[in-house]
Every structure is written in C-alpha cells, then in structure tokens.
Amino acid sequence: MTLLAVRGLHAGYGQGDVLQGIDLEVAPGGVTSVLGANGAGKTTFLRAICGLVKRTGEIHFAGRRIDTLATEDIARLGIAHVPDGRGTFTSLTVEENLRLGAYVRRDPGVPRDMAQMYEYFPRLFERRTQQAGTLSGGEQQMLAISRALMSRPKLLVLDEPSFGLAPLVTQEIFRIMRNINETEKLAILIVEQNAQLALELSNHACVIETGSVVAQGTPDFLRTDEALRRAYLGY
Ligand code: ATP
C-alpha cells in the first residue's frame, strides 16, 4: 500500500527538464528522504509534487491522481509543504501563523491542535504573541512545521529543515519530527543535506543525481553501499 506514488515524473522551469523521470513512493505513516548533491533536483521534485512547477508523469496520492491538480487542491487533499526558506508570515505573530495554517478547516479541533503544537514545540508557546520575523531561525522552522501541521495533512513535505540551523537545534527539530511521525503516524517526505540525520528518521530513502534516481532502498541499504556512503554520507 502506498500513500504517495510518483511514476516517470519530469519537471522543469521552461528550458528542458530538471527531473528526468523520477519513480518514488511514500508508505502510509512512512518517512522517505530524498538525498543528493546541490542542484540535483530535490527541491524541484518537491515543487512538482505540490504543483508548483510544470510537470508530466503520474502522481497518485491517497488513491487519487493529483498531477493535473492545482496547488491549492493538492493542499486540500492533505499534502502540506514546508518550503526551503520556510515561508512564515513574518509580520504576524506565532499564534496568527498557526491559525492561518488551519484556515481551510471547518472542524472544531483547531484549538486542541494548537495546544498540541505548543506541546510539541514549547518554545512556540513561550513566543506565541511574538512576531514571526523576530524569531530565531530554529524557532521559525518550528513555526513553519507547526503551521503546516495545523492543516492536519496526511503527508508533510519538508525541504531542508536543517538549512542554516545550528546542529543542536537541528537535532531538536528532528527529534520532535520523529515523535510526531511515531505518535500521529504522519507520513513525511523530506529533502535534506544532512543525510545521516535524514536516514535516522527515514524508513526509505532515495538519491537523486542530475534529475534521476540513482539509488533507493532502506537506510541500511544506502549505508552499506560504500560508494553511496562516501558520496552522500561523507564517511
Ligand atoms: P540544493 O540542494 O542546492 O537546493 P536541489 O537538489 O534542491 O539543490 P533544485 O533547487 O531542484 O536542486 O535545482 C535543480 C536545477 O534546477 C538547478 O540546475 C537549478 O539551477 C534549476 N532551478 C531551480 N530553480 C529554478 C528556477 N526557479 N528557474 C530556473 N531554474 C531553476
């Protein structure tokens, strides 16, 4: 059973394709990481799933074909994207950002979920009346993730959550992500330069090189392949 199934995905920005036919799956409740060098096409891959770039090929999500849908319809079906650069509303407070994350919901569970976010990320509770733009980089990442979770997604798509963050903050964020994945069985698709950390969180991983998947399998499979380990794990 798969939650997300991508088949033969091509995508780009106008002059030729960046993605050259990607196949990838995310299991319900699973974590799939996408690794690869700078410029390999990882961000483009996430954008293609979320309908933010021109794409061809098949993308199936929760039993529906979504590669012809617009970004807002894809979001409504349950894919929440935390882009690189985070994208919080800097002039709004933490709490206002969280409320905006829930704007498509009509169910009465929003206050309960907001309390849950503050439990996952106590720093956000301490700073709930502070403008998002005045938060530290780590706190902004926590807010971006929480805001995405407030839409109650089935799949959380994360683009480089560790970018620009100190190692301790990054570890804290990954620890909380693991907790959320385990307790809520939330599926995650994550692009990450810190391959070791990403593999610890994942049950499936793939390596992209110049727009193509060059390896995929379990984290242990990638760790035991010496060439991949040297190229992408740095040891
Ligand atoms: P990084 O780890 O450096 O973020 P990446 O693997 O995420 O790299 P992408 O950002 O997907 O790679 O970029 C893949 C290719 O697409 C690169 O050659 C890049 O220059 C190109 N590209 C990315 N964004 C655009 C854009 N908006 N317009 C044109 N080309 C783009």
Side-chain angles (χ1 to χ4, degrees):
M1 239 247 307
T2 57
L3 177 66
L4 179 78
V6 176
R7 300 201 187 106
L9 183 66
H10 287 250
Y13 300 92
Q15 326 89 325
D17 287 341
V18 171
L19 303 185
Q20 307 290 338
I22 302 264
D23 296 316
L24 188 89
E25 294 189 350
V26 181
V31 182
T32 294
S33 52
V34 179
L35 312 175
N38 288 120
K42 306 180 298 296
T43 293
T44 305
F45 177 58
L46 299 188
R47 286 184 186 148
I49 289 169
C50 299
L52 293 164
V53 292
K54 201 164 60 66
R55 73 273 199 220
T56 58
E58 290 187 21
I59 308 174
H60 299 262
F61 176 68
R64 290 195 50 176
R65 188 148 174 198
I66 64 164
D67 47 87
T68 52
L69 300 184
T71 301
E72 59 271 25
D73 296 325
I74 293 170
R76 226 170 266 130
L77 287 176
I79 298 185
H81 183 207
V82 180
D84 50 349
R86 287 150 205 160
T88 55
F89 294 98
T90 51
S91 61
L92 301 183
T93 66
V94 166
E95 191 131 331
E96 287 165 342
N97 268 280
L98 291 180
R99 277 188 210 293
L100 267 182
Y103 84 103
V104 287
R105 291 175 55 182
R106 294 287 171 267
D107 64 277
V110 172
R112 183 198 59 218
D113 285 352
M114 196 171 303
Q116 177 68 67
M117 292 311 131
Y118 289 144
E119 207 170 294
Y120 285 136
F121 298 100
R123 292 204 214 184
L124 294 183
F125 180 70
E126 291 161 22
R127 290 162 175 74
R128 62 193 180 281
T129 58
Q130 198 171 317
Q131 277 191 335
T134 64
L135 298 174
S136 72
E139 290 158 359
Q140 288 195 31
Q141 186 60 264
M142 292 174 191
L143 179 58
I145 293 170
S146 305
R147 198 185 67 187
L149 292 174
M150 285 300 292
S151 67
R152 284 223 142 257
K154 298 186 184 85
L155 175 69
L156 184 66
V157 173
L158 293 172
D159 196 347
E160 290 246 17
S162 77
F163 186 76
L165 304 184
L168 276 180
V169 179
T170 301
Q171 278 166 20
E172 186 184 349
I173 288 175
F174 272 74
R175 182 180 52 72
I176 297 167
M177 291 314 306
R178 176 187 290 278
N179 180 12
I180 294 171
N181 168 250
E182 285 174 356
T183 54
E184 302 197 17
K185 306 284 174 253
L186 173 69
I188 300 173
L189 175 63
I190 179 171
V191 157
E192 183 48 63
Q193 284 290 339
N194 188 330
Q196 299 208 43
L197 215 47
L199 288 184
E200 280 168 28
L201 182 68
S202 304
N203 64 312
H204 188 80
C206 84
V207 177
I208 296 185
E209 228 173 73
T210 53
S212 299
V213 173
V214 292
Q216 65 175 308
T218 63
D220 276 345
F221 167 76
L222 296 192
R223 285 191 195 101
T224 49
D225 183 303
E226 195 176 336
L228 290 173
R229 207 180 62 223
R230 281 174 198 268
Y232 298 103
L233 304 181
Y235 63 94

